[in-house]
Amino acid sequence: MKISIYPTPDDMSKAAADLVAAQLAEKPTSLIVFPSGSSPTGMLQYLVQYAKEGKADFSQCTIIGLDEWVGMDERDYGSCKHYLHTNFFNLLDFDPERVAMFDAKAEDLEAECARMNSFISSHGGLDVMIVGIGMNAHLGLNEPGTPFDLYAHVSELAPITVEVGQKYFQQATVLTQGITLGLQHLTEAKMAVLIASGENKAGIIAESLQGHISTDVPASILQNMSHARILLDAGAAAKLEHAS
């Protein structure tokens, strides 16, 4: 893995957007996974700006949503779909045929996981998979204890994920399960990108990137991935040893 540290969250966000723009310039038909949450907002703002300025062309690529709260769709404020539509797709009049996201209201969630797995494999695999990191080191909704070799799956949400997840909603919301791409997808992506900012992430970043590799710390899988790019601001990198 390659760790890059930037002075501010804005610098980190721009660097992440630059990676995506460079990927699109090299391969316009790229298959790219976008996360939701607070971490990618700045990146998405830059990408919308780049698209409007002609610096990034999204007309041929396909965007995949990383995960979703089970039981929600784009009409639910706080859902991952709502986030990506509000912060990206709607701002660019993005072709809906080039968007692939979980139907978290599907009657058969296992079939939905199989559908997403098949979609990715039939398109030649992921070119770029971008993830944030949770306070318990989850990537997507791959919670502690998740096997590293899982593809898309339904997860039981950890208490900390339920607690922190409330910030995305306008009122207290019951969260029990998630549906998510798996850590095996991250391993197989041609480029895996972790973005993180803020001193509140410093402890879990250090544990994940320089601690023991274990399924108890899902993000520790990145230590095994030579193709992983880690983009941090100074706050998130504050507890790393020998980081530059």
Side-chain angles (χ1 to χ4, degrees):
M1 63 181 178
K2 178 183 178 182
I3 300 175
S4 300
I5 301 170
Y6 302 89
T8 70
D10 184 69
D11 293 322
M12 183 278 291
S13 296
K14 186 177 186 301
D18 289 345
L19 275 183
V20 174
Q23 173 67 31
L24 291 172
E26 180 179 336
K27 183 182 178 183
T29 58
S30 291
L31 195 63
I32 302 175
V33 174
F34 279 173
S36 55
S38 53
S39 296
T41 302
M43 176 192 73
L44 295 178
Q45 289 172 343
Y46 272 110
L47 288 174
V48 169
Q49 176 185 328
Y50 289 175
K52 291 181 176 179
E53 294 174 349
K55 296 178 181 178
D57 181 3
F58 288 92
S59 64
Q60 299 179 62
C61 74
T62 298
I63 303 297
I64 294 179
L66 174 61
D67 51 19
E68 186 57 272
W69 310 111
V70 166
M72 296 189 187
D73 62 21
E74 62 270 18
R75 293 168 293 184
D76 294 296
Y77 185 95
S79 71
C80 304
K81 279 186 173 180
H82 183 274
Y83 172 87
L84 285 175
H85 280 281
T86 301
N87 289 281
F88 189 72
F89 299 129
N90 294 349
L91 301 179
L92 295 179
D93 194 24
F94 203 92
D95 181 359
E97 294 297 315
R98 297 194 174 278
V99 177
M101 303 184 78
F102 286 106
D103 176 3
K105 289 188 173 181
E107 290 188 10
D108 189 339
L109 293 175
E110 294 302 324
E112 186 63 12
C113 290
R115 181 188 70 82
M116 191 66 84
N117 291 337
S118 177
F119 182 90
I120 291 170
S121 61
S122 67
H123 284 73
L126 298 173
D127 292 293
V128 181
M129 182 168 172
I130 304 171
V131 297
I133 184 171
M135 296 305 294
N136 62 355
H138 74 203
L139 303 176
L141 290 172
N142 292 279
E143 300 283 33
T146 301
F148 286 167
D149 60 355
L150 280 189
Y151 288 100
H153 60 99
V154 176
S155 63
E156 299 298 323
L157 300 179
I160 186 63
T161 300
V162 174
E163 179 185 341
V164 173
Q166 298 302 316
K167 69 182 179 181
Y168 302 118
F169 299 92
Q170 295 173 316
Q171 58 190 17
T173 301
V174 176
L175 302 172
T176 57
Q177 293 181 310
I179 186 168
T180 183
L181 297 185
L183 297 173
Q184 186 66 26
H185 283 122
L186 193 68
T187 299
E188 294 180 4
K190 297 177 183 67
M191 183 191 299
V193 181
L194 170 68
I195 56 176
S197 62
E199 291 183 2
N200 64 318
K201 294 290 179 70
I204 200 63
I205 284 290
E207 182 179 359
S208 298
L209 303 185
Q210 296 182 333
H212 181 63
I213 299 173
S214 166
T215 57
D216 291 337
V217 185
S220 66
I221 192 176
L222 293 161
Q223 295 185 51
N224 291 331
M225 297 165 54
S226 60
H227 63 303
R229 295 288 306 273
I230 315 300
L231 278 56
L232 309 172
D233 78 338
K239 295 185 178 179
L240 288 176
E241 296 180 8
H242 312 300
S244 59

